[in-house]
Amino acid sequence: RPMDDEDEEQFVLTTRFCDEQGMHAEGNQKFRAVDDFTRSGVNAQTAPTEKLHCDTLDGLNEILRRLATGTKVPLSLFKTDIDSAFRRLPIRSEHRRYGHIVFKYKGDTYISLHFRQPFGSVASVHGWDRAGNLLCAIARKMLQIPLSRYVDDYYAPDRAESAKIAMDCFVRLVRACLGHDAIAEVKCG
C-alpha cells in the first residue's frame, strides 16, 4: 500500500534493493529482492544465541568412504534444494513491526509487511539454520538417511538401488513440514 506519515512512527522501516542473480533459462535477467536490515538497524539489534552450522564436503566424503567400504554395490548421491527456505518460516506477531519494507514504484513510496522471514535479515539466517538442522536430524534419526546439509541444500549418498527411495522419503518429510511446494520436482536428483 502507499506509505503514509504515521508508518515511520509505528514501524521500523527497511529499504529493498535488487541483486542480480544471473540469467533465466529464457535469457532474461534474474534478480533477487534483498531487504537491507543492516541499514535500518534491525540486524544490529539481533543477538544470535548459537553458531551457524553446515556440514562440510569432508564430512560428506567420509560418509561416502564408509558406505563404499561397507558395501560392494554401486553408490549414488541425491541432492534436494528447499525453495524459498527463509520465506517458509513465520515472523512472530510481536516482531512484525520490524518486518516492514519500503520501496519506490513509479516515483511513489510503498510499504509492505513480511509475515515470513525475509532475505537480508540475520534473524532469518539463524531461524532457517534451526529449521534446516531439525529437518536434517529427523531424516538422520527417524529415516536413517546419512544426510548432509549446506544451508537449504541437502545431499545424501546411498546404494544406487535405494537412493531414489531415500530421496523420496526426505522430500515427503520436507513437504509435510514446510508445504507441498517446498521442493520442486526439478530440484530433486
Side-chain angles (χ1 to χ4, degrees):
R1 67 172 171 76
M3 189 174 135
D4 59 44
D5 294 337
E6 295 171 11
D7 290 332
E8 289 187 71
E9 296 172 19
Q10 289 182 317
F11 311 119
V12 175
L13 302 175
T14 296
T15 56
R16 170 171 283 174
F17 64 91
C18 286
D19 185 38
E20 292 182 21
Q21 295 285 303
M23 302 295 275
H24 285 285
E26 304 84 41
N28 54 339
Q29 187 71 42
K30 183 177 178 181
F31 296 97
R32 177 186 297 256
V34 180
D35 300 324
D36 196 350
F37 286 94
T38 298
R39 190 173 186 188
S40 67
V42 173
N43 281 344
Q45 300 303 312
T46 303
T49 57
E50 67 275 321
K51 185 178 179 206
L52 297 175
H53 170 76
C54 285
D55 296 309
T56 64
L57 284 175
D58 290 338
L60 180 61
N61 188 47
E62 179 61 19
I63 293 169
L64 278 164
R65 187 189 66 73
R66 287 182 184 195
L67 193 56
T69 302
T71 184
K72 301 285 187 218
V73 299
L75 300 178
S76 184
L77 183 73
F78 78 75
K79 178 201 179 288
T80 60
D81 175 21
I82 310 286
D83 290 328
S84 301
F86 291 177
R87 291 189 171 94
R88 296 196 174 276
L89 304 176
I91 295 176
R92 297 174 96 176
S93 58
E94 62 267 26
H95 295 164
R96 288 196 187 131
R97 72 179 299 264
Y98 304 103
H100 286 78
I101 306 304
V102 293
F103 58 94
K104 292 244 185 217
Y105 179 70
K106 294 185 178 179
D108 294 323
T109 303
Y110 288 84
I111 186 168
S112 180
L113 168 61
H114 280 292
F115 289 91
R116 307 250 178 209
Q117 299 293 327
F119 192 78
S121 164
V122 169
S124 297
V125 174
H126 285 270
W128 173 254
D129 191 58
R130 287 184 220 111
N133 281 337
L134 177 62
L135 289 169
C136 204
I138 292 170
R140 288 173 179 167
K141 190 100 167 158
M142 303 299 290
L143 303 177
Q144 298 294 302
I145 299 172
L147 203 62
S148 295
R149 180 182 74 87
Y150 184 78
V151 187
D152 62 351
D153 296 321
Y154 294 84
Y155 307 87
D158 206 334
R159 296 181 308 264
E161 62 195 32
S162 59
K164 171 115 174 58
I165 295 167
M167 180 184 67
D168 289 346
C169 289
F170 180 67
V171 168
R172 286 182 68 193
L173 167 69
V174 171
R175 288 177 176 164
C177 294
L178 300 177
H180 184 71
D181 61 344
I183 298 180
E185 290 299 325
V186 297
K187 293 189 176 181
C188 299

